Amino acid sequence: MALTLPASFSNNSIKQNWLFQLHYDDESAFTGLSFYDTNVSQDYYGSITNKPSIREKIDLINSTSNVSLTVANFKYLADDFSAELYGGTKKYINRIVKIYIQPNDASSLSDCLLIYTGKLKSISHNIGVISLDIEANR
């Protein structure tokens, strides 16, 4: 499948932010995370602390693809974000995660490029850091 770049990518010098949409419950809404605070029709919390990469293993029998995120355990709705993921009212495990590239602080999602769709498979954390493992949605 060929990617079609939105017009917002036509600029030769591109400042880019990655947007992570962690969908929950019936997947009609999501919590947004990113490298730095931004707003693209909704707030995205600048809490990603690692440089994620999309890893793929392809063979004739099994194909896998995954992304690992490290997220700062920031204050979210008057509590730690880990409390929202583990014991909050929303269910995130096995829900869709979408990753977009936001060029030059674009304010519309139509100006961003969808680069990955997966499902949140596991969550672990300590006091300051949350680890999220995402697998391809196949």
Side-chain angles (χ1 to χ4, degrees), residues 25-81:
D25 297 339
D26 67 357
E27 299 177 353
S28 64
F30 62 88
T31 299
L33 304 176
S34 61
F35 291 137
Y36 56 85
D37 289 345
T38 190
N39 186 294
V40 182
S41 304
Q42 164 172 336
D43 287 332
Y44 288 79
Y45 300 92
S47 59
I48 305 297
T49 60
N50 69 324
K51 181 180 176 184
S53 61
I54 299 170
R55 296 175 298 281
E56 292 205 38
K57 177 185 171 206
I58 300 172
D59 63 38
L60 295 176
I61 299 171
N62 298 311
S63 294
T64 59
S65 174
N66 66 342
V67 176
S68 296
L69 291 181
T70 304
V71 180
N73 197 5
F74 63 98
K75 290 294 179 195
Y76 179 80
L77 303 177
D79 204 352
D80 290 338
F81 188 55

Side-chain angles (χ1 to χ4, degrees), residues 5-18 35-36 100-106 111-113:
L5 289 177
S8 56
F9 281 84
S10 63
N11 186 344
N12 289 333
S13 64
I14 294 179
K15 172 185 176 185
Q16 65 174 293
N17 189 14
W18 283 26
F35 291 137
Y36 56 85
Y100 291 86
I101 294 177
Q102 175 196 28
N104 302 316
D105 295 326
D111 291 330
C112 300
L113 180 65

